[in-house]
Amino acid sequence: MADDTARTRWQSRYDASLAQGKVRDVDFTTVSGVQVEPAYGADDSEWPGEFPFTRGLHPTGYRGRAWTIRQFAGFGNAQQTNERYRMILGRGGGGLSVAFDMPTLMGRDSDDPMSLGEVGHCGVAIDSAADMETLFKDIDLAQVTTSMTISGPAVPVFCMMLVAAERAGVDTSVLNGTLQTDIFKEYIAQKEWLFAPEPHLRLIGDLMEFCVEQVPAYKPLSVSGYHIREAGSTAAQELAFTLADGFGYVELGLSRGLDVDVFAPGLSFFFDAHVDFFEEIAKFRAARRIWARWLRDVYGAKTDKAQWLRFHTQTAGVSLTAQQPYNNVVRTGIQALSAVLGGTNSLHTNALDETLALPSEQAAEIALRTQQVIMEETGVINVADPLGGSWYVEALTDRIEGEANEILDKILAMGGSSLTHDNVEGLVAAARNGEDPITRGLLQGIEHGWFMSEIAEAAFEYQVALEKGEKRIVGVNCHQESITHDLEILRVSHEVEVEQVRLLAARRAERDDAAAADAVREMVEVGRTDANMIPAMLAACRAEATLGEICDALRAEWGEYREQARF
């Protein structure tokens, strides 16, 4: 009888990857020259690349492909940010991640009265497709993957990027990258929405359909737990709320008649790497396991790629301190290592001065080098899931999975469902009947403020523990003596806003106003039908309609969302 242990199945897959040239030709020995195996485990245990992917998506781990170094950056105007991007790429960054300023995140033009004083301060100001052209000038969008962290006006911003790519002569069908677009987490944590949930979900459904057909490599949704954790949630809450959001988007895709094996690979995730080293590693492992089981067993995904949870990680901005800011380098290094040991697919490391201002060029370089030291010097990339089998890590993984499942059951109950996570047959039947039980729970939880109150309670408990000294932060409530000098921080001049407003006025003067207005009206007309809105929105962007003009037209049509006051 043939040997069919988990180990031999893994070995067969690893050997196939090796034969196909999918294992990098680099040194995988220790500093002392000791040869190490690609993975370790008991013959009958779970191995990397095996469902439910607790130990990683691929049998090769990082031997096949290291994580993408994707540094989050954006400040001032498009020209300034373009210069920072070219610096990051020139110093070894593997991908771009765009930070937008507050007016852009809220769908406002730079000359909007509500934008006064905010233009270019927390990210780059983008008013039109022309700004996108400048943002990516001399950067080959066909070769560089680009992530854009924006949700409320994500769809028109994506359209502007497509237009910029067209104008650069790039075949938009080959573009690769990620758009955040996660509107559920905006209602739960970050609060940057434009409309009520239903019209946002309509636009997201249109985007999913468009990307499947027109830009197949691009991931139109990055389901974000990062902002949930930064708002004060626990690790289990971050995991459960984020996965629930992801299940809601799966239900949206299924409601559009899309094939889960086709659209699910276009869903990616974005997690926080907080400071509790082993808890974070366990969280990442549990995330892959829960997602794979639901996608296969509930939503009917048949392929590995549709069952995979791919995720980007950012180190925890909320853990950085203004006191003794050089300690932030240590925190970030530890958090980045937890993300790598947890199997992240891409990673951003925060700069030491981000609690005070946007990163200086020197601080950005240190953040970049932090990842490169981990990748090139530590040897952690030599072995897939090196902590797999650790009694502590495995126990933590099981515990966080159990806590997350309990929260998922509460979300199902809020939607009026009597189902629980372990009632697979019932969940399958609900999915086939188009009942969308997770989505209904999400919408009810948002409407009644449940998510917000759960996060607030967790944040309050942690703050009490800090004030009692039960939890410690070095430089804040312990070890406060210091010789650290003040940092020189990056400041965005008010002249950036003046110049951006001037450029916007010049572009409006140069365009065909009537054509832009007609294109926006046509977009609204399409929105009143069941047709996909993306082509009409693209036409408006090609006519140099601004982000504010597009979003204002949709706000006038669909109304603005106002969160109910909670006490």
Side-chain angles (χ1 to χ4, degrees), residues 248-260:
Y249 297 124
V250 172
E251 292 175 353
L252 175 62
L254 292 173
S255 75
R256 291 295 189 102
L258 298 176
D259 183 342
V260 68

Side-chain angles (χ1 to χ4, degrees), residues 308-336:
W308 285 346
L309 182 144
R310 302 172 183 81
F311 68 97
H312 171 73
T313 310
Q314 181 173 339
T315 56
V318 74
S319 73
L320 305 182
T321 65
Q323 302 92 327
Q324 302 179 21
Y326 288 103
N327 296 346
N328 295 332
V329 177
V330 181
R331 294 185 179 102
T332 295
I334 291 168
Q335 293 162 8

Side-chain angles (χ1 to χ4, degrees), residues 274-308:
H274 218 289
V275 77
D276 192 311
F277 186 71
F278 289 104
E279 184 174 61
E280 294 305 289
I281 294 167
K283 178 187 74 181
F284 299 134
R285 300 172 88 249
R288 280 192 297 269
R289 180 192 292 175
I290 298 172
W291 181 258
R293 288 174 174 163
W294 275 68
L295 264 289
R296 186 190 72 174
D297 299 339
V298 176
Y299 299 119
K302 297 179 177 62
T303 67
D304 283 355
K305 285 188 176 181
Q307 298 164 10
W308 285 346

Side-chain angles (χ1 to χ4, degrees), residues 72-78 81 85 98-111 114-127 131 135 149-151 153 157 190 192 358 492 496-497 500-501 547:
F72 189 45
F75 65 95
N77 59 31
T81 302
Y85 288 163
V98 185
F100 297 95
D101 70 356
M102 187 57 69
T104 306
L105 291 170
M106 299 305 297
R108 303 277 178 187
D109 285 336
S110 296
D111 60 357
M114 294 185 70
S115 301
L116 185 63
E118 294 290 343
V119 175
H121 280 273
C122 70
V124 62
I126 297 294
D127 290 314
D131 283 325
L135 185 67
T149 303
I150 190 166
S151 291
V157 165
Q190 199 173 20
E192 290 166 359
L358 291 166
V492 177
V496 167
E497 181 168 332
Q500 184 69 15
V501 170
L547 181 64

Side-chain angles (χ1 to χ4, degrees), residues 482-560:
S482 176
I483 59 172
T484 300
H485 300 292
D486 291 340
L487 295 174
E488 290 187 17
I489 63 175
L490 175 68
R491 300 189 186 277
V492 177
S493 168
H494 176 64
E495 292 304 312
V496 167
E497 181 168 332
V498 173
E499 176 63 9
Q500 184 69 15
V501 170
R502 186 195 67 77
L503 280 173
L504 178 56
R507 286 167 182 163
R508 283 203 181 105
E510 293 167 359
R511 73 181 183 183
D512 184 334
D513 276 343
D518 287 345
V520 171
R521 278 194 295 271
E522 176 61 22
M523 177 195 70
V524 172
E525 288 297 324
V526 172
R528 293 170 180 166
T529 72
D530 293 331
N532 193 299
M533 290 184 66
I534 307 303
M537 195 173 286
L538 274 168
C541 293
R542 291 187 186 108
E544 281 298 312
T546 68
L547 181 64
E549 290 165 349
I550 291 170
C551 293
D552 284 347
L554 295 176
R555 274 187 276 249
E557 180 71 11
W558 291 331
E560 294 188 60

Side-chain angles (χ1 to χ4, degrees), residues 130-404:
D131 283 325
M132 278 291 189
E133 285 186 88
T134 303
L135 185 67
F136 296 118
K137 188 176 186 296
D138 297 325
I139 296 171
D140 188 351
L141 289 173
Q143 299 298 320
V144 175
T145 60
T146 303
S147 172
M148 296 194 290
T149 303
I150 190 166
S151 291
V155 181
V157 165
F158 174 72
C159 290
M160 289 175 182
M161 187 191 76
L162 291 186
V163 172
E166 289 173 353
R167 292 173 180 174
V170 174
D171 177 1
T172 57
S173 68
V174 305
L175 293 179
N176 197 344
T178 305
L179 188 68
Q180 189 163 96
T181 328
D182 179 6
I183 206 62
F184 281 134
K185 67 91 178 175
E186 296 296 343
Y187 299 109
I188 290 171
Q190 199 173 20
K191 314 301 182 185
E192 290 166 359
W193 58 71
L194 306 185
F195 330 113
E198 287 77 7
H200 270 299
L201 290 175
R202 183 261 169 83
L203 277 176
I204 293 170
D206 286 355
L207 180 68
M208 292 170 70
E209 289 181 353
F210 181 85
C211 285
V212 164
E213 296 171 2
Q214 303 292 331
V215 199
Y218 201 87
K219 296 173 180 61
L221 269 160
S222 175
V223 190
S224 178
Y226 185 84
H227 307 94
I228 292 169
R229 190 65 179 279
E230 294 285 290
S233 79
T234 66
Q237 286 172 334
E238 177 195 359
L239 178 56
F241 294 173
T242 307
L243 292 179
D245 291 352
F247 298 146
Y249 297 124
V250 172
E251 292 175 353
L252 175 62
L254 292 173
S255 75
R256 291 295 189 102
L258 298 176
D259 183 342
V260 68
D261 285 309
V262 175
F263 77 79
L267 302 177
S268 66
F269 287 79
F270 175 21
F271 287 114
D272 194 295
H274 218 289
V275 77
D276 192 311
F277 186 71
F278 289 104
E279 184 174 61
E280 294 305 289
I281 294 167
K283 178 187 74 181
F284 299 134
R285 300 172 88 249
R288 280 192 297 269
R289 180 192 292 175
I290 298 172
W291 181 258
R293 288 174 174 163
W294 275 68
L295 264 289
R296 186 190 72 174
D297 299 339
V298 176
Y299 299 119
K302 297 179 177 62
T303 67
D304 283 355
K305 285 188 176 181
Q307 298 164 10
W308 285 346
L309 182 144
R310 302 172 183 81
F311 68 97
H312 171 73
T313 310
Q314 181 173 339
T315 56
V318 74
S319 73
L320 305 182
T321 65
Q323 302 92 327
Q324 302 179 21
Y326 288 103
N327 296 346
N328 295 332
V329 177
V330 181
R331 294 185 179 102
T332 295
I334 291 168
Q335 293 162 8
L337 185 58
S338 75
V340 170
L341 291 173
T344 193
N345 301 103
S346 63
L347 178 61
H348 165 82
T349 33
N350 289 328
L352 67 95
D353 54 0
E354 284 191 58
T355 191
L356 300 167
L358 291 166
S360 67
E361 188 168 333
Q362 181 183 35
E365 181 179 88
I366 293 171
L368 175 64
R369 295 291 185 243
T370 300
Q371 292 201 50
Q372 291 167 333
V373 168
I374 293 172
M375 183 180 290
E376 306 292 351
E377 299 183 28
T378 64
V380 296
I381 68 170
N382 292 349
V383 178
D385 192 30
L387 292 180
S390 157
W391 291 348
Y392 181 42
V393 170
E394 298 296 351
L396 274 178
T397 302
D398 291 343
R399 192 208 72 202
I400 290 178
E401 179 185 19
E403 291 180 6

